[in-house]
Amino acid sequence: MELTIRIGGEAGQGLQLIGTVLTTYFKRLGYHVFTHQDYMSRVRGGHNFYQIRLADKPVCCSRQQVDLLLALDSNTIDLHEDALSQQGRIIYDSEMCKRQGVGRHFLYMPFTAIVKELAVAEVMVNSAAVGAVIGILGLDLQPFAEIIADFIGKKGTEVVTTNIKVAQAGHDHAVSDYAGLFSLPAPEAGLQSHILINGSQAMGLGALMSGCKFYSAYPMTPSTGIMVFLAAKAAEHGLVVEQAEDEIAAINMALGASYAGVRAMTGTSGGGYALMTEGVSLAGITETPIVIAEVQRPGPATGLPTRTEQSDLFFVLYGGHGEFPRVVFTPGTPEQAFYLTNKAFHLAEKYQIPVIVQSDQYLADCQWTLPEFAEEGLLQEDFRLRGQALQERESYQRYGYSDSGITPLAVPGASRHLVVVDSDEHDEDGHIIEDAETRNRMMTKRLFNKLPLLQAEMTPPEHYGAAEPDFLLIGYGSTWGLLKEVVDHCPPQKAVAMLHFSEVWPLPLSDTFDYVALLEQATTICVENNATSQFATLLHSQTGHRCTHRINRFDGRPFTLDNLMEALNDYLC
Amino acid sequence: MELTIRIGGEAGQGLQLIGTVLTTYFKRLGYHVFTHQDYMSRVRGGHNFYQIRLADKPVCCSRQQVDLLLALDSNTIDLHEDALSQQGRIIYDSEMCKRQGVGRHFLYMPFTAIVKELAVAEVMVNSAAVGAVIGILGLDLQPFAEIIADFIGKKGTEVVTTNIKVAQAGHDHAVSDYAGLFSLPAPEAGLQSHILINGSQAMGLGALMSGCKFYSAYPMTPSTGIMVFLAAKAAEHGLVVEQAEDEIAAINMALGASYAGVRAMTGTSGGGYALMTEGVSLAGITETPIVIAEVQRPGPATGLPTRTEQSDLFFVLYGGHGEFPRVVFTPGTPEQAFYLTNKAFHLAEKYQIPVIVQSDQYLADCQWTLPEFAEEGLLQEDFRLRGQALQERESYQRYGYSDSGITPLAVPGASRHLVVVDSDEHDEDGHIIEDAETRNRMMTKRLFNKLPLLQAEMTPPEHYGAAEPDFLLIGYGSTWGLLKEVVDHCPPQKAVAMLHFSEVWPLPLSDTFDYVALLEQATTICVENNATSQFATLLHSQTGHRCTHRINRFDGRPFTLDNLMEALNDYLC
Amino acid sequence: MTTFADYDGQKPAWCPGCGNFAILNTLKRALVDMDMEPHHFTIVSGIGQGAKLPHYTRCNTFNGLHGRTLPVATGIKLANHDMVVMAVAGDGDCYGEGGNHLLHAIRRNINVTLLVHNNQVYGLTKGQASPTTPQGRVTKTQPFGALSSQLNPMALAISLDCSFVARAFAGASGLPFLKEMIKEAVNHEGFAMIDILQNCVTFNKVNTFHWYKERVYELEEGYDPTDRVEAFRRSLEWGERIPTGIFYKNQRPVCGKDITPLQKGPLVGHDVFSVNLRQESALFY
Amino acid sequence: MTTFADYDGQKPAWCPGCGNFAILNTLKRALVDMDMEPHHFTIVSGIGQGAKLPHYTRCNTFNGLHGRTLPVATGIKLANHDMVVMAVAGDGDCYGEGGNHLLHAIRRNINVTLLVHNNQVYGLTKGQASPTTPQGRVTKTQPFGALSSQLNPMALAISLDCSFVARAFAGASGLPFLKEMIKEAVNHEGFAMIDILQNCVTFNKVNTFHWYKERVYELEEGYDPTDRVEAFRRSLEWGERIPTGIFYKNQRPVCGKDITPLQKGPLVGHDVFSVNLRQESALFY
Ligand SMILES: Cc1ncc(C[n+]2csc(CCOP(=O)(O)OP(=O)(O)O)c2C)c(N)n1
Ligand SMILES: Cc1ncc(C[n+]2csc(CCOP(=O)(O)OP(=O)(O)O)c2C)c(N)n1
Ligand code: SF4
Ligand code: SF4
Ligand SMILES: [Mg+2]
Ligand SMILES: [Mg+2]
């Protein structure tokens, strides 16, 4: 059983609230949900939509067809009528849409009339609509009361009660006019220990659980969600969240905080990352730990600022001048986003390097129902040299040579030992040098010694589906859910599997899992949300494997299960 | 016949003037010369040197051993005594060096005494030294008079005459004390049509000859030479050279000027380029022509600011968010720097893209004697749409679709047609759009349509040496001269050749010259002035060829002929 | 003669009630008054709500990066000093991300008119504090209130000896005044900056249209805009009473047509391939 | 008690006669006076001649990128507000490349002392015009003379309501004065900026030691550094007479230990892994 609901309307009509309330409602009822958002770069007007897929088993990508379209304006009908499934219906209010729907698939609902009748604020049509959707699905309105209180409770109990009343009216109308149209089977019980979370929240939560104490950033869609999440936690957890004057300041502040001894992070999107690359290089030579969230949107330049793309892979691999080690993660689910953000902090401090967690608008905004995260899975180790261990040392050199390339990371001010870091090439003490020998030793320490250790830290890609696949779908980052469901939907006789990379740089070794052998034995199809198949190129340059086929989408929209299945038809034969 | 002279001393002692005067002197006499400089990031003190290799045939890299060491301080003797060739001599003044040289290889010269005797300024010891070098080589001082006037003439004739007098005294001493020590054969006549030029000057001259009208930059070693060259030409040629407040402003100013209809350029080194990448991406989506000189120095961050490295290749290939076409040139000689800067302007305007000419401190500062450049070899085509052709058009769309992806480049203000460019994704008129269809068409126009055309414009690599090589030395950028001489020095029975890439992105097609086949049939040795073999990685990812061996140097110093020959010994067997 | 309709552009994507509409219309009216044909001027803008303006009229347009309007405008003006160049930016755009360029454009005194749509908030990115947001105001990313003091653009510009410094209010009462100010700024030789107080109905619920309306007043007749210290003093007024008008002007040298390479006329008109290689190489022989 | 020798660092790579030596020695003397142990303070610097300073003394050091001293200093101070943090930058570093950070560090009023080694030229890169180079001065990259007006750091800082604004001269006569000023700046709660006029013997042949010496004088006794308009007026003096001293101070709120997350003490001392996952995930159930 599954069902796709799409809510369409203008920016400013409250789509996001409707969507989130409904999603939470379904989740609390025990349905698995997956949502995605499509919105324009404007604050009012235009056309946005919010899509909810609910099912009785886990779902992790979107469908092309819509079963229930809630149209808050006429434009929504024009744009999405074609997307209706065979049983699909459009819920609309002729007054709001200023038109009459013609055809069996139109379900008229008097949202405006309800609001007028109850003499409440016009914006409450949204609650009527939520009530109606719930009613049409034959579900109980009861849980709505608690949810709406959670979301708008701070506006006062009266607002809450009124909204409930309006929703009830919408529900009543739906039940009386369209009872039995969609009858959803009761959900499996037991999603109480599941969470409903999106990629931004998961990264923010991951940072919080990793001891992040400092987050400086400049607002930039679609990365701002992380900052908003952490800002809300700042007071309680003694976390400084500072909005910098620009991205250059953002990364340099974070590096300052990290130098001073606290775990620090910054986040941005591609254009802001461009301004940060000099700072990334600074982290490289000074060996200052830092975690950077790079949340992609379609470029170049301003591009499509509120949409999705995976086009900055090479930029984060190579952005910054000179040669230094770095790690790049590309989580595919909120769960991976959570644990990899944690691993990012861990490796950043352990190896004293910049670690980039690359996400995109799709991952940032999509909500998933997932088993709750577990504290046991977290890497929580404090690598700093401070307290007695530092005070008792006879001497300290910030860049003292060692076989691993790692010098203990002392906290300045925590002892009489000085901590000197330098963006110039330097000696073990951190002072400027120019001689060739020291340069060579420092490059060896910083780069060559650490590289093999880092590579050994990388988890191999995830192999899902046929054990000996004829067809191997390759992906990285936010396409995880999509590829997984494609595998699930392919007929078993096709022997399809997915190979998903969430730790892409350095590319993992193939000693524990010989994924290169797997690649070589299958027809490989690399699926990327970009134009130039960056991941396929990386894979080729690192493993020698050239993917058989490439499927790309770069119009700012994510793949859906159906359009990828269709695109695959050409190859799965 | 060849001879290497090294002049060593502190910053501020005037090494550069001595070096340039001597080099010019040799060139005017008819010797081929090659010079390279090694200097610290300080203005006074420390240790710098200037090395001149002169010969009776073209030379294009430096030697390890020194025949004549002019030591302006004691430190120079300590640091370079070991580098003397068997016949090598050290010219020094015990008073300046505050020590007595012990051994036959010390040639004492009383520079300080000369200056005192003639009662002239102390700094004139330098002219005494120049005179002495000329004298020791058994050469005529005469041409010096003209040269010193060229260099310091603006200080007045008296200064010039005094310097000549001092040089004469130095010359006299040398002739009387050390006559016949080095007897240079008379140079081949006919270097009058040769020029003595370094990489910075060649790029500046290339820009000037390409109609560059606007150069904005922020000072950054080793790129500043280009700006200084162009600034000196600005008044005469109506060229605006503006020092921007930072590199972000520099590239955005240049983009503004280019939009307004003039050929524009900016230049920087790696750290500044980091700040420019957002602007590079802006050039990409707005299709605004721009030429960027990226003159490398060792990174990361401030690194070794006055030294050389080839470590930003991947950064210029992939720097900037989103996907857009660009061209990257990596000239290997001042001649290539000149013609490729010209080709950069040509392609930038023809295809309306950013073109990066990547150089490094070594290429920027080394002086070569080269056959004069020819105007006939220049690409001088004006692609702008203006004047009557523009005025008579019925309409104009800045991003009108075309098969080639190229829309005529109209000059704003030159007609009633408006020129609208946008960093957001846009329609043919240049206005913001968000729909998928237009996005796809624009990506096709901008990226996919232009890519094959650009690739066809790239000149294949240069193959020099054995036609069917067993050993193929691979390089790009500033190692050209080095690799060529290595080939010349290898015994012919070894069948060694060079394959040098000066046009690296997109990598040239192999249809006219199947260099991939050449690679596959030889033992390939990729020589790079960096730590991670970026070019070998690029070559592998684009051609599938994995180089057999890699030789890297990343201590901030260039390879010399001798140390590369030595490093090669292990492989040429 | 141009008419209002000559400046009809794309349909604005702004919120109904946004102060940007008034700025757009006033700009168009000023253009009509100046009879400036659309192809005779270029508007450079950054990224933000206000920065979408050039699309909503008809003109040569360079809609560039967030924060980078002024360098682009500088490049255009230096390449073609016959072109009238305006820059349109938001308060975040111009005082935040682009702050450094503002300092140096003022110092350079390039002949460009800058219109800052100052709604005291980041509009397009949904409500974070901007440099002109009052200290202490709480937002989703400023949970303890904005930590920085509110930037005073008038005082800043005067301290840099900006050639033309003005403030306007994008409300009915202020519009005729704004229109004249725009004309004067465009005609002024040198860098002219107008900070325009503009309501944001969606994200700034404090500095609303009415909030401004109750406070703004015009600098009195007889106010002397050439007295820099007095201008500075007046620039510090902000609170119950907010002065608008031309705070300060001067006639200092402009980075423009008088500089050596531009004396032969705009660069864009120069011959392109006129340099003689042999001659330019002279110093290399 | 610390002594001068406690601050012995690497051997300076400056030119003999450079004003930087005087600044370095004066700073060391001020440190001795304050009895500040080397590990109790951090100097953040950028890239330039002056910016090499921390290597020439003994202290915690973050020698970062050209232009980016103040954000780094801000991060350090916010992470550990018990650390004394100073920033050392050149005029190019701080007013050119890093101009935007200066604006916003002043607004933020972070408790950091900024020393600007103002030699009115780009020293390390060999003599290009800096923001404080007088307009019209010819250099190799300014063939028609610097096109921009000379930046006035005092006026700029006052316009931004900077918490502590001072100018000093790195010449014998000015050094005791500079020493006291540094101590006062370090002890001042809030952002304190001292612009130090410093000769560059190699690249600035006009504003020499003697040029400065003939012109500088100390603001008179009785001068009231709390009067912002008067401070602005005095900041405009530059030419035959150049005032030095504390132009302006105020006590506005500091972005520091009083802000909510820092009330429990410096971040660096907080527990690292104390957050309860289940509790923080509450809103996701
Ligand atoms: C480099 C970069 N950083 C951040 C952004 C995101 N961004 C777009 S507009 C904006 C701020 C808008 O505020 P303002 O300039 O005041 O304009 P308004 O929308 O209020 O008119 C930001 C932060 C961006 N586009 N580019
Ligand atoms: C991003 C970047 N751009 C340019 C440079 C080159 N650079 C180093 S120091 C400097 C200017 C030095 O001038 P100033 O800050 O006044 O210091 P001074 O040497 O005069 O003390 C410049 C432009 C750099 N290191 N990084
Ligand atoms: S968000 Fe504010 S500034 Fe933006 S269009 Fe809406 S009202 Fe105007
Ligand atoms: S160049 Fe100038 S500032 Fe730099 S060390 Fe020499 S005298 Fe000092
Ligand atoms: Mg704003
Ligand atoms: Mg300076």
Side-chain angles (χ1 to χ4, degrees), chain A residues 40-41 271 274 281 285 299-303 307 309 312 315 320-323 423-425 434 439 531-532 534 554 557, chain B residues 40-41 274 281 285 299-303 307 309 312 315 318 320-323 423-425 434 439 531-532 534 554 557:
Chain A
M40 296 183 77
S41 178
S281 180
I285 200 166
T302 312
R307 299 184 186 275
E309 196 165 84
D312 296 342
F315 189 29
H321 55 299
E323 295 165 296
S423 74
D424 294 90
E425 192 55 275
E434 297 209 27
R439 163 73 173 177
T532 60
Q534 299 185 26
F554 48 86
R557 278 71 179 172
Chain B
M40 295 183 78
S41 178
S281 179
I285 200 167
T302 311
R307 300 184 185 275
E309 195 165 85
D312 297 342
F315 189 29
Y318 300 116
H321 56 298
E323 295 165 296
S423 73
D424 292 271
E425 192 55 275
E434 298 208 27
R439 165 72 175 178
T532 59
Q534 299 185 26
F554 47 87
R557 278 71 180 171

Side-chain angles (χ1 to χ4, degrees), chain A residues 254-564:
Chain A
L255 289 173
S258 178
Y259 162 81
V262 309
R263 293 196 169 192
M265 180 174 180
T266 181
T268 184
S269 186
Y273 194 78
L275 295 166
M276 288 188 182
T277 55
E278 195 191 11
V280 177
S281 180
L282 175 65
I285 200 166
T286 57
E287 304 186 51
T288 306
I290 185 169
V291 174
I292 310 165
E294 202 258 346
V295 189
Q296 300 163 99
R297 63 194 219 187
T302 312
L304 292 167
T306 58
R307 299 184 186 275
T308 202
E309 196 165 84
Q310 296 184 293
S311 55
D312 296 342
L313 178 63
F314 278 152
F315 189 29
V316 302
L317 296 185
Y318 300 116
H321 55 299
E323 295 165 296
F324 54 92
R326 77 186 86 190
V327 164
V328 179
F329 291 145
T330 53
T333 71
E335 190 176 357
Q336 292 177 3
F338 174 77
Y339 289 109
L340 288 176
T341 300
N342 171 247
K343 188 168 176 180
F345 274 98
H346 180 78
L347 295 185
E349 192 171 289
K350 181 170 179 190
Y351 294 99
Q352 305 169 27
I353 54 167
V355 180
I356 298 118
V357 186
Q358 191 177 51
S359 158
D360 54 31
Q361 180 267 329
Y362 180 66
L363 176 61
D365 289 340
C366 287
Q367 292 166 290
W368 302 50
T369 37
L370 292 168
E372 63 191 351
F373 303 151
E375 219 148 319
E376 301 77 64
L378 292 173
L379 300 162
Q380 295 188 327
E381 195 175 340
D382 187 340
F383 296 96
R384 292 173 300 172
L385 176 61
R386 52 181 192 147
Q388 227 174 319
L390 175 59
Q391 283 150 18
E392 285 172 359
R393 283 176 76 110
E394 266 192 29
S395 67
Y396 175 74
Q397 295 184 296
R398 177 64 190 89
Y399 302 109
Y401 299 128
S402 73
D403 285 344
S404 64
I406 301 169
T407 315
L409 186 67
V411 171
S415 74
R416 306 190 70 85
H417 300 304
L418 302 178
V419 181
V420 179
V421 305
D422 191 359
S423 74
D424 294 90
E425 192 55 275
H426 42 252
D427 59 19
E428 292 180 270
D429 285 319
H431 293 303
I432 304 178
I433 59 92
E434 297 209 27
D435 68 287
E437 195 192 324
T438 311
R439 163 73 173 177
N440 281 333
R441 289 195 68 176
M442 278 297 158
M443 286 290 281
T444 303
K445 163 187 157 41
R446 213 164 39 218
L447 183 64
F448 296 124
N449 289 350
K450 289 183 187 175
L451 278 181
L453 304 178
L454 288 172
Q455 200 170 18
E457 296 270 7
M458 298 298 113
T459 307
E462 180 178 351
H463 176 189
Y464 176 82
E468 298 198 345
D470 293 330
F471 299 97
L472 192 55
L473 300 177
I474 297 167
Y476 76 110
S478 67
T479 53
W480 186 93
L482 178 81
L483 298 184
K484 179 179 171 294
E485 286 213 37
V486 167
V487 170
D488 291 339
H489 276 74
C490 283
Q493 69 274 20
K494 285 286 185 204
V496 178
M498 154 180 101
L499 191 67
H500 180 271
F501 292 77
S502 57
E503 310 196 8
V504 300
W505 190 257
L507 215 61
L509 293 168
S510 50
D511 52 354
T512 56
F513 161 32
D514 191 353
Y515 63 90
V516 182
L518 194 73
L519 288 167
E520 290 299 341
Q521 86 196 16
T523 296
T524 51
I525 305 159
C526 196
V527 179
E528 303 186 43
N529 238 160
N530 62 36
T532 60
S533 293
Q534 299 185 26
F535 188 73
T537 308
L538 174 68
L539 202 62
H540 173 234
S541 96
Q542 302 290 307
T543 68
H545 176 78
R546 204 182 273 283
C547 292
T548 325
H549 304 292
R550 291 151 191 233
I551 296 179
N552 303 80
R553 182 166 192 167
F554 48 86
D555 60 3
R557 278 71 179 172
F559 290 99
T560 62
L561 175 57
D562 311 272
N563 67 35
L564 185 59

Side-chain angles (χ1 to χ4, degrees), chain B residues 43, chain D residues 13-15 18-20 49 119 123-124 198-203:
Chain B
V43 169
Chain D
W14 292 318
C15 310
C18 174
N20 276 316
Q49 296 285 23
N119 54 8
L124 191 59
Q198 169 228 324
N199 65 317
C200 168
V201 294
T202 309
F203 295 113

Side-chain angles (χ1 to χ4, degrees), chain A residues 122-140:
Chain A
E122 207 189 305
V123 40
M124 298 217 183
V125 287
N126 290 343
S127 284
V130 169
V133 170
I134 294 172
I136 284 171
L137 297 175
L139 299 172
D140 183 9

Side-chain angles (χ1 to χ4, degrees), chain B residues 68-70 87-94 100-101 103-111 114 128-129 131-139 169-184:
Chain B
L68 215 46
L69 176 67
L70 174 59
Q87 317 303 327
R89 294 288 187 277
I90 301 175
I91 306 176
Y92 83 114
D93 172 6
S94 53
Q100 290 297 339
R104 223 176 48 83
H105 55 287
F106 277 96
L107 312 182
Y108 164 76
M109 294 291 298
F111 301 138
I114 291 172
V133 170
I134 294 173
I136 284 170
L137 296 176
L139 299 171
H171 192 265
D172 292 349
H173 269 280
V175 170
S176 80
D177 296 0
Y178 306 112
L181 244 186
F182 292 86
S183 56
L184 288 185

Side-chain angles (χ1 to χ4, degrees), chain C residues 6 11 17 32 45 52-53 63 140 154 157 172 183 198 206 222 230 259:
Chain C
D6 289 332
K11 186 163 169 282
V32 173
S45 74
K52 295 177 184 168
L53 179 139
N63 183 177
K140 282 192 180 169
M154 298 296 101
K183 284 153 60 180
Q198 168 228 323
V206 178
E230 178 58 14
I259 65 172

Side-chain angles (χ1 to χ4, degrees), chain D residues 89-96 116-122 130-133:
Chain D
D91 43 330
D93 213 9
C94 188
Y95 306 138
V116 184
H117 294 223
N118 182 0
N119 54 8
Q120 303 192 246
V121 75
Y122 283 12
S130 88
T132 51
T133 298

